[in-house]
Amino acid sequence: MKRFRELNISIAKESFEHFIFELSKILPAEWSRDKEREGEVPSFSGRNMYCFNRDRKDGLDSKLWIAERDEGTLYISNIVPSEISQLKIDDYNKVLLEFHDHGIKELTESLGGSVELTSDIYSLEDLIGNDGARCLRVFSSAANKSTGSTHPYDRQRWFEFITLIHKSEKNISPEEVQKFLTEDGWTEDFSFELACEFEYSLDLLEYYEGK
């Protein structure tokens, strides 16, 4: 499955401002720092946010935000497109990788830090372990994809998956369940319906055990 990539920049907090200053100098002309936009964003936590505009006139122009995650980490908190409501995963990752490839790693290392760029590909096993992934895959492959989880045997396998996730320390979001099911051949409607059912069932189990 595909996901939005993350870019984490680990450097000393006292180097944050210097890093942003140097970054502004090495970026190509189509990238520019937007201090005016930065000043419009309130900082309730006391942590700074930095904004860079991408202007290439290719449909992917955006505002890329760098924020403080903690005392020693900056990260790309969001990429907000200028011309459309939201970037698709591939387009978001393209802009992020383009930004990364403009000397981020070299600049960070010159300041004694390091850069982590996550992969855009992940598996069910990464999210919920081998047992959880097996349960969901068995349900998805064995179920009648035109009826959802209505057949008794399909229902049993679906419940086994839900209860296993409820008991597990690993988590998977309803959106990730929906994404997997869609990629595994389910219709958008059934994928959404099952994802909603998954979320409701977990909430119900948590409520019942908390009584």
Side-chain angles (χ1 to χ4, degrees), residues 95-111:
V95 174
L96 180 68
L97 188 60
E98 176 190 314
F99 185 76
H100 166 271
D101 289 346
H102 287 315
I104 301 294
K105 183 173 184 290
E106 292 77 8
L107 174 59
T108 303
E109 290 178 348
S110 74
L111 297 173

Side-chain angles (χ1 to χ4, degrees), residues 190-206:
F190 269 127
S191 298
F192 178 74
E193 181 180 317
L194 286 167
C196 290
E197 186 178 313
F198 170 75
E199 181 177 31
Y200 175 81
S201 299
L202 288 182
D203 287 345
L204 180 62
L205 286 170
E206 184 175 348

Side-chain angles (χ1 to χ4, degrees), residues 124-183:
L124 278 179
E125 286 75 11
D126 293 330
L127 285 174
I128 53 178
N130 293 333
D131 290 341
R134 177 185 54 78
C135 273
L136 183 54
R137 291 186 193 281
V138 167
F139 162 74
S140 181
S141 62
N144 184 336
K145 291 182 173 60
S146 64
T147 60
S149 61
T150 57
H151 189 281
Y153 288 148
D154 296 339
R155 200 74 173 164
Q156 179 180 344
R157 286 186 283 264
W158 179 236
F159 285 162
E160 286 176 357
F161 165 67
I162 292 173
T163 53
L164 188 149
I165 295 300
H166 172 67
K167 296 175 182 178
S168 173
E169 295 181 354
K170 297 182 179 293
N171 296 311
I172 182 172
S173 70
E175 292 78 14
E176 287 164 331
V177 170
Q178 180 182 359
K179 183 175 179 58
F180 168 77
L181 293 172
T182 301
E183 292 181 359

Side-chain angles (χ1 to χ4, degrees), residues 10-68:
S10 298
I11 52 175
K13 183 176 177 60
E14 54 267 26
S15 297
F16 284 177
E17 292 292 338
H18 181 63
F19 171 83
I20 295 297
F21 176 76
E22 292 297 325
L23 178 60
S24 302
K25 295 196 298 184
I26 66 173
L27 288 173
E30 59 266 24
W31 285 91
S32 61
R33 185 175 176 185
D34 190 343
K35 290 186 178 181
E36 181 178 352
R37 186 70 185 95
E38 292 173 10
E40 296 172 356
V41 178
S43 177
F44 299 107
S45 63
R47 294 179 177 177
N48 292 324
M49 295 185 69
Y50 309 94
C51 181
F52 287 86
N53 288 329
R54 179 187 187 275
D55 184 15
R56 296 190 62 179
K57 303 296 190 296
D58 60 356
L60 298 181
D61 289 339
S62 314
K63 291 186 181 297
L64 181 146
W65 286 92
I66 300 177
E68 298 182 28

